[in-house]
Amino acid sequence: MSFWLTTKRVARYGLIGFIRNGFVSLAAVMIMTITLFVVALLLIAGSALQSTLALLTDKVDVNVYFQTEASEEQIQNVQRSLEALPEVAAVTYTSREQALEEFRERHKNEQLMTQALDQLGENPLGASLAVQAKDTSHYETIAKFIETQQALPDGSAISKVNFYQNKTAIDRLTNIINASRTAGFATAIFLFCASLLITFNTIRLAIYTARDEIGVMNLVGAGRWYVRGPFMIAGVLYGIVASLIVLFVLYPVAAWIGPASERFFGSFNVFNYYTSQFPLIFFVIVGLGVGLGALSSFLAVRRYLRM
Amino acid sequence: MILYDKVSKFYNGDRAALAEITLQIEPGEFVSIVGHSGAGKTTLLKMLFAEIVPTEGAVYFGTRDIGGLSSRELLELRRSIGTIFQDFRLLLTKTVYENIAFAMEVAGKDDEDIQADVPHVLDLVGLSDKMWSFPHQLSGGEQQRVAIARALVNQPDVLIADEPTGNLDPINTHDVVEILKKINDLGTTVLLTTHNKTVVDSIGRRVVTLEQGRVVRDDKHGKYIL
């Protein structure tokens, strides 16, 4: 028998089955909608968590302050040696003049402070390097490295490293970030598996109601794909309908909570994420719906095939 | 030719559902199999399309041992045997037309043949006007005639009828038996199990009587005797 003829017939019976078993289809689509909705939320929540954690991590740095008489060359040498470290993400140089400007800007409303500076005549502030690590747990290593640098001629110009004042805060933040990652991941896996199981069992029940039908198909000599195919097509249709519902409903929901989410997370806007990452969300949700529907049907029918 | 060669079947426990049955059925025969409930009639029939596998012995269809068929050969075997049951076994979510077309589709018939043959076979069983009905919209007798039409449409070598009149009133019973006789006259082997004495006596062909899994009587022109 030609492949296309079989495919055409299987597809037609799949569609007919989906429509005629309307009530069963409705139940399966509803359950699958919930599953895919959970997955979409996990996707968004995961990104929100990532971006929030990244934001926090960015705010942490270690500052290396130089003595006022440190030469430009010494500072550059230290900067280069720091940049060469694999743990270092970025080193930002702040010159003495910039430091003074920032200081004035910060204290512009405090007359006493400005007057004192003016009286001093010269710039009392040293240049500094702000070091950002790739991971918050790397600051300890970087701080140790700076210590060893202090023994060298270039490093002797370093007056102060603020790591040890900030150590407790950095450690605590590192712990919180790691714990959030683990907890987020575990929750996601748990919810994902739970919704997968619920969908699988719903489809299994749907096919259980058709077991006599499958018996008859076996009896008249229908091949495996003739029996299995229409159920898999119906499963795929559950997935497509459910995923379209999810994508459709998610749009106004995301638009609604977008501004609130930005206030809450700092920079993460649910609506921007949904619109900018739409291709990814689309493929994950539709792909999962279709795959889950087809696979669940495939496994569920296998039980009733007798040949 | 169908040959049961020393076939036994044990379900859980020791009592044999079938005990060393040896039975030969020639092409074109009409064989009625009678016996009390639990005598092994249905087990015997189900072995022909491998829904039940013998514990001992072998069943041959032509020269082929059914137990040794690959799943592809088994599908072909099932397509060359028409089956009718007491509970009709129609596809409930498909129309009358689709029920019959389905049997042709799985046998690989093309669309033109299906469009020509289905109305024809429905005409044979007198259901042309119910082509687009669903099984639940039909009476028992009509459903059984759909099942017969489905069994016939692929022109099987053998027709198995497992208590086909069990759920039907006398008039429908008579109709079904007449159809079976007509099919047999056209050369199809018919295997029938029944509890209905009138049916067996009116057919007047070979009768095999089973008792507790054994053949106790096998008459060429038998009557219903228990």
Side-chain angles (χ1 to χ4, degrees):
Chain A
M1 197 183 330
S2 88
F3 173 75
W4 281 115
L5 189 61
T6 310
T7 310
K8 194 188 82 186
R9 289 171 175 175
V10 163
R12 198 185 72 225
Y13 280 127
L15 186 63
I16 288 177
F18 177 79
I19 295 165
R20 290 202 189 141
N21 296 311
F23 212 70
V24 172
S25 300
L26 182 71
V29 165
M30 268 161 50
I31 293 290
M32 212 173 216
T33 303
I34 294 170
T35 296
L36 295 178
F37 208 85
V38 168
V39 173
L41 290 185
L42 291 178
L43 214 60
I44 293 171
S47 295
L49 185 66
Q50 283 298 338
S51 102
T52 310
L53 294 183
L55 202 70
L56 283 178
T57 314
D58 271 355
K59 286 198 172 141
V60 178
D61 59 12
V62 162
N63 295 297
V64 182
Y65 296 99
F66 289 87
Q67 288 155 3
T68 45
E69 61 270 19
S71 74
E72 196 82 359
E73 199 193 339
Q74 283 177 313
I75 299 170
Q76 274 174 13
N77 284 341
V78 174
Q79 180 171 6
R80 265 196 292 278
S81 60
L82 277 169
E83 279 168 346
L85 286 182
E87 291 91 350
V88 170
V91 183
T92 321
Y93 171 59
T94 309
S95 68
R96 296 184 60 195
E97 291 71 33
Q98 282 167 333
L100 185 63
E101 222 167 276
E102 281 171 21
F103 187 85
R104 279 189 190 280
E105 181 63 28
R106 213 163 37 234
H107 300 283
K108 65 179 172 199
N109 296 329
E110 298 163 53
Q111 243 183 351
L112 197 67
M113 199 69 94
T114 327
Q115 275 172 358
L117 266 181
D118 289 342
Q119 293 246 310
L120 213 54
E122 64 173 56
N123 182 355
L125 299 172
S128 66
L129 291 174
V131 185
Q132 283 207 318
K134 285 179 181 150
D135 191 288
T136 49
S137 62
H138 290 152
Y139 284 110
E140 182 110 40
T141 325
I142 294 169
K144 289 233 171 75
F145 174 78
I146 297 169
E147 259 174 51
T148 61
Q149 290 288 299
Q150 277 175 308
L152 302 174
D154 288 329
S156 61
I158 296 172
S159 71
K160 195 177 112 186
V161 179
N162 71 348
F163 171 69
Y164 293 99
Q165 290 98 304
N166 298 346
K167 188 176 185 307
T168 331
I170 292 177
D171 282 350
R172 192 169 293 162
L173 194 64
T174 308
N175 285 340
I176 291 174
I177 288 172
N178 288 339
S180 313
R181 281 216 179 99
T182 316
F185 192 66
T187 316
I189 293 280
F190 174 75
L191 285 175
F192 185 67
C193 290
S195 25
L196 232 56
L197 270 180
I198 292 170
T199 303
F200 174 62
N201 282 312
T202 307
I203 290 186
R204 230 166 48 160
L205 274 179
I207 287 174
Y208 177 78
T209 61
R211 68 195 182 286
D212 291 337
E213 201 107 330
I214 295 174
V216 175
M217 293 175 178
N218 283 323
L219 191 71
V220 297
R224 283 174 215 277
W225 286 105
Y226 245 105
V227 179
R228 189 185 267 162
F231 289 103
M232 287 177 69
I233 298 284
V236 166
L237 288 174
Y238 301 154
I240 290 175
V241 174
S243 51
L244 291 183
I245 293 175
V246 169
L247 292 175
F248 190 74
V249 169
L250 219 49
Y251 186 85
V253 171
W256 184 52
I257 59 172
S261 67
E262 192 162 357
R263 277 196 300 278
F264 183 76
F265 290 116
S267 73
F268 185 85
N269 184 313
V270 172
F271 185 67
N272 291 346
Y273 177 78
Y274 182 74
T275 45
S276 66
Q277 300 294 315
F278 188 76
L280 170 81
I281 298 177
F282 181 87
F283 279 112
V284 169
I285 297 301
V286 176
L288 190 71
V290 166
L292 192 59
L295 183 71
S296 305
S297 302
F298 177 87
L299 293 174
V301 173
R302 202 167 58 162
R303 252 201 85 185
Y304 304 110
L305 282 175
R306 269 172 302 171
M307 60 188 69
Chain B
M1 184 193 73
I2 295 162
L3 175 66
Y4 290 84
D5 187 16
K6 291 184 189 150
V7 172
S8 299
K9 177 69 190 178
F10 302 93
Y11 294 110
N12 313 326
D14 315 318
R15 203 182 72 81
L18 292 180
E20 296 200 11
I21 297 262
T22 297
L23 193 65
Q24 187 171 331
I25 296 159
E26 300 299 334
E29 271 197 280
F30 194 128
V31 183
S32 303
I33 299 163
V34 300
H36 293 292
S37 294
K41 305 186 294 292
T42 299
T43 304
L44 196 69
L45 291 189
K46 282 186 171 172
M47 282 177 177
L48 257 191
F49 47 94
E51 199 170 299
I52 291 177
V53 186
T55 315
E56 287 165 16
V59 182
Y60 294 90
F61 190 85
T63 52
R64 294 188 300 182
D65 177 0
I66 291 172
L69 297 180
S70 68
S71 49
R72 181 182 289 270
E73 291 168 323
L74 185 58
L75 292 178
E76 281 167 16
L77 172 80
R78 285 180 182 169
R79 290 171 200 154
S80 66
I81 296 175
T83 45
I84 313 166
F85 297 91
Q86 182 174 5
D87 55 358
F88 319 133
R89 301 217 191 158
L90 298 175
L91 298 166
L92 301 179
T93 58
K94 291 184 170 56
T95 62
V96 168
Y97 180 92
E98 287 166 348
N99 262 280
I100 297 163
F102 185 78
M104 294 186 77
E105 286 173 4
V106 301
K109 302 284 167 61
D110 56 40
D111 290 344
E112 289 81 48
D113 285 348
I114 294 173
Q115 280 154 18
D117 290 1
V118 174
H120 179 66
V121 76
L122 278 173
D123 194 36
L124 272 183
V125 296
L127 282 177
S128 298
D129 54 332
K130 305 278 182 176
M131 197 158 3
W132 306 112
S133 303
F134 286 93
H136 66 88
Q137 296 166 325
L138 303 179
S139 72
E142 288 169 334
Q143 290 191 47
Q144 193 60 295
R145 281 187 277 157
V146 175
I148 293 173
R150 181 182 65 189
L152 291 181
V153 79
N154 284 331
Q155 289 148 340
D157 303 322
V158 177
L159 185 72
I160 291 174
D162 191 8
E163 305 205 19
T165 59
N167 280 342
L168 304 181
D169 63 32
I171 294 172
N172 277 308
T173 298
H174 177 260
D175 286 350
V176 166
V177 172
E178 285 309 308
I179 294 172
L180 292 181
K181 283 208 278 202
K182 209 187 292 175
I183 295 162
N184 179 245
D185 288 342
L186 295 170
T188 306
T189 312
V190 177
L191 298 183
L192 168 77
T193 69
T194 185
H195 284 298
N196 191 319
K197 181 171 162 42
T198 330
V199 166
V200 176
D201 293 349
S202 77
I203 294 168
R205 307 281 183 85
R206 182 176 173 189
V207 178
V208 174
T209 310
L210 290 184
E211 217 173 279
Q212 297 189 337
R214 292 174 192 279
V215 176
V216 293
R217 195 173 294 116
D218 186 352
D219 301 322
K220 267 271 171 278
H221 298 283
K223 296 246 172 221
Y224 186 93
I225 306 163
L226 281 183

